Amino acid sequence: MDRLPGFRDFYPEPVPTADAWSADLRRHIFNAWSATARRYGFREYDGPPLETLELFTAKSGAEIVGQLYNFTDKGGREVALRPEMTPTLARMAAAHERQYKKPVKWFAIPQLFRYERQQKGRLREHFQFNADILGESDRAADAELIALLIDSLRALGLTRADFVIRLSSRNAWQEFFAQRGGNAANAYDFYQIIDKLEREAPEASAAKLQALGFSLDAVRGFIAAGEPTAELAAILHNLAARGLGDFVKVDYNVIRGLAYYTGPVFEAFDVRGEFRAIAGGGRYDNLVKLVSGGKVDLPALGFGMGDVVLAELLKERRLAPKLVASLDAFCLIEDETLRADSLSLVQRLRDAGLAVDYPLAPAKSDKQFKRALELGAVRTVKVERSADGALLARVKNVATRAEERTPVAAVLDLLRRG
Ligand code: HAM
């Protein structure tokens, strides 16, 4: 039986085929994400993968709603697998915001599901690092998030030569739209056209813009001028003070597809433009109010970074580390009458925190040694009984093949000495 298209299996390294996904690389990415988030003072949260359909239909915008995995559950509820984390976060924050001092800085690494057309960098499930700040309207919060985004990519070995943050503003586009007589009811349609400008044929974009009373030339002129608004200038200034100014450039091609963004928005791209967006986010000051039916009003902002494009980029730039199996020791059991004593030693070593494995079933000694090598064991340990009946252990350094004999009680100390 095959797996569903757009879904992935993750294998331990070495992965069975060149295009197989690596569980070890995924762990490496998750570790970099959470370690960087913690360095920035973010706390971890999570929510359910299945939510009410309604949470997404009103809040995320038409594009994502068209990609929902939704169904009626056995209790007759309309439900959907989460296509993104932000509405869940807004729901959770609204429910208990009084318990938390503002600003709230939270992160999560959910698996998300979107019924998208499969293409390079886009699958039907992905893991997404989400970092959000709630309860702070100062532009310093926008800069803090962008700095976290930059540093989480740097933590994986990527540099300014690899990626850039394209910074834009829904406010700037809103002003452009209003000043030229745009009808407020069409604003989201207009944003959607801008969002697709780089991916769609110019004639198609021009026709759609014209239907809303805009010319492609005027739109292109605005993008080319790229004049930072006061809010963007404040963000750039803040990032420059951290020495991160070079990572960001104002680019009004970015507007973001999701409906709820209200202010500065941004996306991370590889500098050569070979991949889809690595990450995207921005301010969504009205979402918590919308999700809570007007009960809670909290300014908010955040970003999401997917694992798919990121893993592709790391592999292409040869930044995916060589991830191999490793064990502190492999316990050889060549004499089955010593299995119980060997198990007792294995258990003591594991209790002490060492990574230890052993053969589950009787096996030839050369097979056992091969297995120790496969599992990346630093040492082999073999329990033996001396002529006078005492239990000893033969500890061998796999790399140097140097061997020592010690009483079983001293094995832990010997292994700890490294
Ligand atoms: P998004 O732009 O829809 O934003 O997704 C963010 C990132 O998730 C993308 O840049 C991409 O790396 C990854 N991604 C999205 N869809 C797929 C897919 N089908 N396959 C692989 N990767 C994908 C959001 O989801 C917002 N909720 C982010 C956010 C958090 N805004 C504020 N807080």
Side-chain angles (χ1 to χ4, degrees), residues 369 377-380 395-404 418:
F369 192 70
V378 176
R379 292 217 166 68
T380 58
V395 180
K396 188 180 200 164
N397 182 314
V398 172
T400 64
R401 306 277 155 123
E403 205 170 60
E404 278 179 68

Side-chain angles (χ1 to χ4, degrees), residues 64 84-86 114 116 121-123 125-126 128 130-132 256 258 260-261 277-282 284 301-306 308-309:
I64 233 174
E84 59 155 339
M85 195 62 174
T86 317
R114 298 182 189 181
E116 286 207 55
R122 286 290 176 271
L123 300 172
E125 56 70 28
H126 69 284
Q128 197 188 80
N130 276 251
D132 292 78
R256 306 281 299 138
L258 293 159
Y260 48 66
Y261 291 110
I278 306 168
Y284 52 97
L301 64 156
F303 69 79
M305 182 190 307
V308 179
V309 172

